[in-house]
């Protein structure tokens, strides 16, 4: 039986063919997702839509085609296909102001961009809009929904609670897909995830200690790399990327020449306006030396205690729990990369992103590190004004210049 | 000596534990005033209730609190905890994790969280919270639930109808009055309602169900009532929802009994309840012969806004008119709301 390529699949296929200036890693990443999408279309009884921060190792070990919603909406935003989605979302919710990155997912099926999955699976980790949107979509489209409840605190009881739910989720998937979670395959998935984590860490360390080796947009575009962890694709992407960067470091051949300032980039970006980052990097000679989004959770997965091990990894994400964890992680990275400034892009409806800003600003003020918050809508490009943001970036670079001069004197 | 006060914000916090620890418990509801200094600490796209209480806290309006217990009921509440902990001078600030699912695993976890809360209170205040005091406390709060259910039974009878404005007043008293006195007040209130025959002609009025986000003020209620409609039931955490079901006082595991009752009570929009909330609302519509539903949400409350879409479709499927009202937890938007309510009542 042949399956017609969905509109979204077509977009991903085209995107995965694009050449980027940072080697092949983004291409490999997009191609891996395209392959999953093909499987998603061919095996609708096993298809899952989930979110970025999930224990994807289980899905890979069970060989289930899983697409994460942030990739779908982010890609559609890159292709400037989101306005009809936003219109559907406004019609359903009768309210604006929630995170459009997530709420625009309400229009995906109504606009026939992708077929309805058999399962929606999400957790309350990091974003509270995703689970509620999934709950609604599963009800509306008669799909099954599984929720993993992630508490705010972090202690052994919380690890046990999350681990038990991961076991429940596995049972749920085994019953409804007929696929069994094979211990040997889970063990393989853990090994691959650990290996991918190794390369991810190496990339971070390499970038932190070097002249700028790559465009910041690549780091942000790879923010969903966690979703490939547990598969060979994650290793392929990160190994390729690491080797490219290492070679650049060794021969000094970096695409970012004459960089004057180093910035740490926090949270997201505008997928439909990537060239804004080129303006920062090329015209303003300011390199994004590390991104919060390219974060590798440094927890070794242990197949002797698989569910607790996954729960620990899940709960160790710096964005989990109190905002102080996240801020400490950012400030630590800012120190590590010796950033001259920090730019925080806050999607307008994202409470997580915006609520961290006052805390972050205070910490950076104490260190006298310039900070810029740009607020924008990652999905809705109708009110996007490039010139306004460029003016703010210009002013910010001036600030960094003044600071640097005062430090030199 | 005055009894020290512990504040709380979400009705999943068991007041029984606060009371058993020897504290006076007080629900923190803010003041509905436009915010002034919160902007520096919390962005504008966060729950207006959270912003309001943080604003009050930063202005020093909660200096009387010895402790404050919040929950992870939503992301805004978690940030409220973070900000309160850092910037508002309160001796004991605690976040209680509430599961979002209702099953045995969640129940065991919630019981564990309550045991931890008890231990935290004991260690912080150098006290012992014994099972005996917990049981005494449960008895007292169970009595409130029984009395509150009696009032709601009375409300079903048009001759003894209690308006929603009056119910707001009655329930708001529970947030501040000592529990023994509050139970006496409820008993007296019930007696007075039984004696009084109301001039309100409820059968001729449009019968409204009010649901949605927390609302401890009267301003939207009065708008609806002043247009001649009767709010015959409210399914909100600031009305009857916290008073459904009593705690099993005979249980050998009193903390377990408290956990069980709180987790299995009528769910709010943040819970993942596989349709229980919509089913409950559909049952209320049938039982109370509802003519129209007003769904009040606080701006940026994603749980209630997204859940509202599901509920709206269910209610409209029953042929019942539905009106969404978005509030900002101040009195500032009242004229817009008045226009919308007026139009809605016209079309019922």
């Amino acid at each position: 039986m042949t399956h017609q390529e969905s509109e979204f699949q077509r977009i991903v296929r085209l995107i995965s063919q694009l050449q980027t200036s940072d080697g092949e890693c983004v291409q490999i990443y997009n191609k891996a997702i395209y392959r999953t999408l093909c499987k998603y279309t061919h095996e609708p009884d096993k298809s899952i839509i989930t979110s970025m921060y999930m224990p994807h190792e289980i899905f890979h070990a069970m060989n289930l085609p899983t697409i994460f919603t942030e990739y779908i909406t982010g890609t559609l935003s890159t292709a400037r296909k989101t306005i009809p989605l936003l219109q559907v979302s406004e019609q359903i919710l009768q309210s604006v102001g929630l995170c459009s990155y997530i709420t625009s997912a309400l229009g995906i099926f109504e606009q026939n961009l992708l077929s309805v999955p058999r399962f929606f699976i999400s957790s309350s980790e990091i974003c509270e809009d995703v689970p509620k949107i999934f709950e609604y979509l599963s009800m509306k489209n008669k799909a099954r929904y599984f929720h993993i409840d992630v508490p705010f605190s972090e202690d052994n009881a919380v690890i046990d609670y999350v681990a038990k739910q991961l076991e429940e989720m596995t049972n749920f998937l085994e019953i409804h897909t007929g696929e069994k979670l094979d211990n040997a395959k889970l063990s393989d998935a853990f090994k691959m995830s650990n290996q991918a984590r190794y390369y991810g860490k190496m990339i971070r360390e390499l970038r932190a200690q070097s002249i700028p080796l790559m465009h910041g947009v690549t780091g942000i575009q790879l923010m969903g790399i966690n979703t490939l962890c547990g598969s060979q694709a994650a290793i392929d992407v990160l190994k390729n990327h690491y080797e490219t960067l290492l070679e650049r470091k060794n021969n000094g051949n970096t695409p970012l020449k004459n960089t004057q300032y180093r910035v740490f980039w926090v949270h997201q970006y505008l997928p439909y306006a990537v060239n804004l980052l080129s303006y920062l990097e090329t015209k303003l000679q300011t390199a994004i030396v590390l991104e919060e989004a390219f974060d590798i959770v440094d927890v070794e997965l242990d197949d002797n205690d698989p569910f607790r091990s996954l729960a620990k990894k899940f709960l160790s994400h710096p964005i989990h729990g109190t905002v102080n964890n996240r801020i400490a992680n950012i400030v630590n990275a800012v120190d590590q990369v010796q950033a001259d400034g920090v730019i925080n892009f806050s999607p307008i409806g994202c409470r997580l992103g915006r609520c961290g800003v006052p805390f972050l600003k205070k910490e950076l003020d104490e260190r006298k590190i310039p900070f810029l918050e740009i607020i924008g809508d990652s999905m809705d490009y109708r009110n996007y004004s490039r010139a306004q943001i460029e003016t703010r970036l210009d002013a910010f670079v001036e600030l960094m210049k003044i600071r640097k001069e005062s430090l030199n004197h | 000596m005055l009894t020290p006060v512990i504040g709380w914000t979400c009705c999943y916090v068991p007041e029984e534990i606060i009371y058993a620890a020897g504290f006076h418990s007080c629900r923190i509801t803010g003041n509905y005033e436009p915010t002034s200094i919160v902007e520096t600490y919390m962005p504008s796209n966060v729950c207006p209730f959270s912003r309001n209480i943080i604003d009050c806290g930063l202005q020093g309006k909660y200096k009387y609190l010895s402790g404050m217990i919040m929950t992870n009921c939503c992301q805004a509440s978690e940030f409220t905890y973070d900000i309160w902990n850092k910037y508002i001078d309160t001796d004991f600030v605690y976040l209680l994790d509430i599961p979002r699912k209702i099953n045995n695993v969640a129940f065991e976890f919630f019981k564990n969280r309550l045991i931890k809360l008890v231990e935290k209170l004991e260690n912080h205040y150098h006290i012992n919270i014994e099972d005996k005091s917990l049981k005494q406390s449960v008895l007292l709060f169970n009595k409130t639930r029984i009395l509150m259910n009696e009032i709601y039974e009375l409300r079903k009878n048009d001759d003894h109808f209690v308006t929603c404005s009056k119910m707001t007043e009655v329930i708001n008293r529970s947030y501040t009055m000592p529990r023994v006195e509050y139970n006496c007040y409820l008993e007296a209130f019930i007696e007075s309602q039984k004696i009084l025959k109301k001039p309100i002609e409820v059968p001729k009025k449009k019968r409204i169900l009010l649901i949605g986000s927390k609302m401890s003020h009267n301003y939207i209620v009065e708008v609806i009532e002043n247009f001649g409609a009767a709010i015959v039931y409210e399914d909100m955490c600031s009305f009857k929802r916290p008073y459904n079901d009593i705690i099993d006082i005979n249980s050998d595991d009193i903390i377990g009994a408290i956990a069980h009752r709180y987790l299995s009570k009528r769910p709010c929009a943040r819970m993942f309840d596989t349709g229980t909330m919509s089913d409950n609302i559909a049952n209320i519509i049938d039982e109370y012969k509802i003519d129209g539903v007003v769904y009040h949400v606080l701006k940026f409350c994603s749980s209630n806004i997204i859940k509202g879409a599901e509920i709206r479709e269910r209610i409209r499927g029953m042929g019942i008119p539905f009106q969404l009202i978005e509030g900002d937890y101040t009195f500032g938007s009242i004229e817009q709301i008045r226009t919308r309510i007026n139009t809605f009542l016209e079309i019922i």
Side-chain angles (χ1 to χ4, degrees):
Chain A
M1 187 179 149
T2 53
H3 292 268
Q4 203 186 346
E5 191 180 53
S6 67
E7 172 65 2
F8 177 64
Q9 216 174 331
R10 190 183 68 83
I11 293 167
V12 176
R13 180 169 51 77
L14 294 174
I15 285 179
S16 69
Q17 289 163 359
L18 294 175
Q19 297 282 336
T20 58
S21 54
D22 277 324
E24 292 174 339
C25 61
V26 177
Q27 255 185 331
I28 301 171
Y29 172 73
N30 283 320
K31 279 182 180 164
I33 291 183
Y34 180 72
R35 284 197 299 276
T36 310
L37 260 174
C38 293
K39 192 171 161 60
Y40 176 101
T41 313
H42 284 80
E43 297 181 44
D45 283 353
K46 294 173 186 173
S47 55
I48 300 173
I49 288 191
T50 185
S51 58
M52 199 153 66
Y53 299 105
M54 289 290 288
H56 287 268
E57 289 82 356
I58 293 178
F59 304 137
H60 290 296
M62 293 180 80
N63 201 22
L64 299 172
T66 313
I67 303 293
F68 65 104
T69 184
E70 296 90 342
Y71 182 85
I72 303 172
T73 51
T75 304
L76 291 169
S77 174
T78 307
R80 295 205 168 206
K81 296 266 185 191
T82 42
I83 303 307
L85 307 185
L86 294 168
Q87 285 162 347
V88 172
S89 150
E90 283 167 23
Q91 208 175 3
I92 292 173
L93 300 178
Q94 298 188 355
S95 176
V96 290
L98 303 186
C99 174
S100 58
Y101 225 97
I102 305 304
T103 55
S104 56
L106 286 168
I108 293 167
F109 309 113
E110 225 164 290
Q111 296 292 315
N112 285 323
L113 289 161
L114 190 64
S115 57
V116 176
R118 179 142 186 242
F119 308 100
F120 287 93
I121 300 182
S122 67
S123 77
S124 40
E125 174 87 317
I126 299 176
C127 175
E128 66 180 344
D129 293 7
V130 171
K132 281 290 154 195
I133 292 291
F134 280 13
E135 189 189 34
Y136 175 83
L137 284 171
S138 61
M139 184 272 301
K140 183 90 176 164
N141 295 289
K142 301 192 173 20
R144 290 185 183 273
Y145 175 60
F146 193 93
H147 178 74
I148 299 172
D149 177 30
V150 181
F152 181 80
S153 325
E154 293 166 24
D155 56 36
N156 280 333
V158 173
I159 293 171
D160 288 341
Y161 177 52
V162 174
K164 278 178 192 159
Q165 293 180 78
L166 295 178
E167 250 182 293
E168 281 180 352
M169 182 191 80
T170 306
N171 292 337
F172 166 87
L173 289 170
E174 285 183 338
I175 290 166
H176 295 292
T177 63
E179 292 281 346
K180 290 281 165 203
L181 178 62
D182 183 278
N183 284 342
K185 284 186 180 166
L186 186 63
S187 180
D188 286 345
F190 277 18
K191 279 182 194 128
M192 287 189 272
S193 184
N194 286 334
Q195 209 179 340
R197 181 176 57 86
Y198 164 78
Y199 282 114
K201 270 178 67 181
M202 296 293 279
I203 292 169
R204 273 183 75 102
E205 281 168 21
L206 191 63
R207 292 180 69 194
Q209 296 157 7
S210 301
I211 52 162
L213 296 170
M214 58 180 258
H215 296 287
V217 70
T218 304
I220 303 173
Q221 281 174 339
L222 291 179
M223 72 177 168
I225 191 67
N226 174 54
T227 65
L228 295 180
C229 282
S231 72
Q232 182 60 39
I235 302 170
D236 293 344
V237 172
L238 294 172
K239 186 167 181 266
N240 174 284
H241 194 36
Y242 174 67
E243 286 168 356
T244 305
L245 299 188
L246 189 62
E247 193 185 326
R248 284 178 184 177
K249 190 187 176 189
N250 289 340
N251 64 21
N253 189 16
T254 162
L256 299 174
K257 308 283 182 198
N258 308 319
T259 293
Q260 299 293 314
Y261 308 103
R262 297 165 65 89
V263 293
F264 182 81
W265 188 273
V266 180
H267 210 49
Q268 293 187 1
Y269 73 134
L270 295 166
Y272 53 81
V274 175
N275 49 12
L276 197 62
L277 300 185
S278 309
Y279 176 80
L280 180 71
E281 289 176 334
T282 314
K283 183 94 187 284
L284 300 178
Q285 296 177 321
T286 300
I288 298 167
V289 286
L290 203 58
E291 311 79 23
E292 185 196 21
F294 187 77
D295 204 2
I296 305 296
V297 178
D298 193 13
V299 173
E300 178 95 10
L301 292 173
D302 174 10
D303 50 11
N304 292 316
D305 193 4
F307 294 110
R308 273 182 60 85
S309 176
L310 278 168
K312 276 183 204 167
K313 183 184 170 194
F314 209 15
L315 294 164
S316 299
H317 198 286
I319 298 185
H320 171 259
T322 170
V323 71
N324 299 323
N325 291 346
R326 180 178 173 222
I327 302 307
N329 184 59
I330 294 172
V331 170
N332 186 35
V334 169
D335 289 343
Q336 201 187 356
V337 300
Q338 296 176 320
D340 299 309
V342 174
I343 300 178
N344 185 119
F345 175 78
S346 300
I348 194 160
C350 176
R351 292 174 295 287
L352 173 87
R354 295 205 57 205
C355 281
V357 168
F359 288 84
L360 179 59
K361 191 174 181 316
K362 189 172 180 295
E363 288 293 325
L364 295 172
D365 279 351
E366 282 169 12
R367 287 169 168 73
K368 297 195 180 353
I369 295 176
F371 173 76
L372 172 69
E373 185 192 17
I374 303 170
I375 301 171
D377 194 316
S378 302
M379 297 290 115
D380 191 346
Y381 46 84
R382 288 169 296 190
N383 285 328
Y384 164 63
S385 167
R386 182 179 168 135
Q388 281 181 20
I389 300 180
E390 281 182 0
T391 307
R392 298 195 66 201
L393 290 174
D394 291 344
F396 181 66
V397 171
E398 281 295 316
L399 260 181
M400 287 194 291
K401 185 180 171 192
I402 293 166
R403 176 183 177 265
K404 216 169 180 176
E405 282 171 0
S406 72
L407 287 176
N408 290 338
H409 288 121
Chain B
M1 195 180 114
L2 286 173
T3 311
V5 182
I6 287 186
W8 53 279
T9 48
C10 164
C11 68
Y12 278 94
V13 174
E15 283 187 88
E16 288 83 352
I17 293 176
I18 299 173
Y19 188 85
F23 292 90
H24 179 68
S25 112
C26 171
R27 187 171 194 172
I28 300 302
T29 57
N31 64 1
Y32 316 108
E33 297 290 330
T35 51
S36 55
I37 50 176
V38 72
E39 309 299 331
T40 323
Y41 302 85
M42 232 176 189
S44 54
N45 67 329
V46 177
C47 165
F49 164 68
S50 296
R51 282 166 54 84
N52 185 268
I53 62 167
I54 287 292
D55 201 70
C56 290
L58 292 167
Q59 288 180 45
K61 289 182 178 166
Y62 297 129
K63 281 187 176 164
Y64 62 88
L65 291 179
S66 169
M68 180 70 184
I69 301 176
M70 282 160 272
T71 68
N72 65 334
C73 67
C74 62
Q75 220 160 28
S77 178
E78 293 171 357
F79 282 116
T80 304
Y81 164 76
D82 275 329
I83 294 170
W84 198 298
N85 212 5
K86 192 158 186 171
Y87 298 109
I88 298 174
D89 185 22
T90 306
D91 186 30
F92 176 79
V93 184
Y94 190 76
L95 187 130
L96 175 67
D97 272 312
I98 313 289
R100 294 171 180 85
K101 293 163 86 172
I102 306 161
N103 58 25
N104 286 339
V105 174
F107 160 69
E108 284 302 327
F109 175 70
F110 189 42
K111 184 180 151 190
N112 170 287
R113 294 295 95 174
L114 293 186
I115 292 169
K116 198 173 168 194
L117 169 64
V118 168
E119 286 169 0
K120 283 276 176 187
L121 284 166
E122 286 179 332
N123 292 338
H124 188 87
Y125 290 107
H126 310 293
I127 52 171
N128 282 321
I129 304 174
E130 293 169 358
D131 275 8
K132 193 179 153 196
S133 13
L134 278 169
K135 286 201 172 190
Q136 281 171 349
S137 177
V138 166
L139 263 179
L140 205 55
F141 282 82
N142 271 352
K143 188 172 180 185
T144 308
R145 293 187 182 102
I146 292 165
L147 292 169
M148 199 61 81
N149 278 294
E150 207 175 317
I151 295 176
Y152 270 81
E153 279 303 310
L154 266 180
R155 289 184 82 196
K156 285 183 184 170
N157 183 337
D158 291 343
D159 285 341
H160 300 288
F161 183 71
V162 184
T163 63
C164 181
S165 308
K166 190 67 193 173
M167 282 314 300
T168 311
E169 190 187 313
V170 169
I171 289 173
N172 278 353
R173 284 175 192 246
S174 76
Y175 301 152
T176 50
M177 275 177 83
R179 191 53 47 165
V180 176
E181 282 83 342
Y182 184 64
N183 284 346
C184 293
Y185 163 77
L186 287 182
E187 283 172 333
F189 179 78
I190 291 166
E191 285 312 307
S192 70
Q193 294 305 304
K194 283 179 180 168
I195 295 164
L196 286 172
K197 271 228 166 193
K198 294 290 164 55
I200 300 167
E201 293 174 317
V202 180
K204 291 181 187 169
K205 289 174 180 275
K206 288 163 185 169
R207 300 171 69 85
I208 301 297
L209 167 64
L210 183 63
I211 51 180
S213 303
K214 179 185 175 312
M215 186 200 284
S216 299
H217 54 70
N218 251 339
Y219 73 93
I220 294 175
V221 168
E222 281 175 355
V223 167
I224 297 170
E225 289 177 344
N226 289 344
F227 278 122
I231 298 168
V232 294
Y233 197 88
E234 312 85 10
D235 189 36
M236 290 172 155
C237 73
S238 46
F239 282 94
K240 182 162 178 272
R241 202 187 288 151
Y243 300 102
N244 291 326
D245 309 323
I246 58 167
I247 296 169
D248 179 10
I249 192 72
N250 297 315
S251 171
D252 292 334
D253 173 13
I254 193 65
I255 296 269
I258 294 172
H260 193 271
R261 185 266 160 198
Y262 272 86
L263 201 57
S264 56
K265 77 182 175 68
R266 200 185 278 264
C268 71
R270 57 90 72 175
M271 302 297 274
F272 290 89
D273 65 335
T274 58
T276 317
M277 192 175 171
S278 302
D279 291 344
N280 285 336
I281 290 168
N283 291 338
I284 294 167
I285 288 172
D286 285 340
E287 189 181 347
Y288 286 83
K289 297 178 181 64
I290 299 296
D291 297 315
V293 175
V294 174
Y295 190 80
H296 164 261
V297 293
L298 288 174
K299 188 85 185 149
F300 309 118
C301 174
S302 59
S303 294
N304 273 299
I305 290 170
I306 303 168
K307 195 77 181 172
E310 176 196 322
I311 292 170
R312 185 185 68 240
E313 284 166 27
R314 176 81 179 262
I315 289 172
R316 286 195 177 153
M318 296 169 76
I320 303 292
F322 176 97
Q323 178 64 55
L324 176 81
I325 299 286
E326 240 178 0
D328 63 359
Y329 215 70
T330 72
F331 302 112
S333 52
I334 192 64
E335 291 310 320
Q336 292 165 35
I337 290 174
R338 194 189 307 280
T339 309
R340 301 196 73 181
I341 297 283
N342 191 6
T343 314
F344 177 64
L345 294 175
E346 285 291 326
I347 61 163
I348 292 179

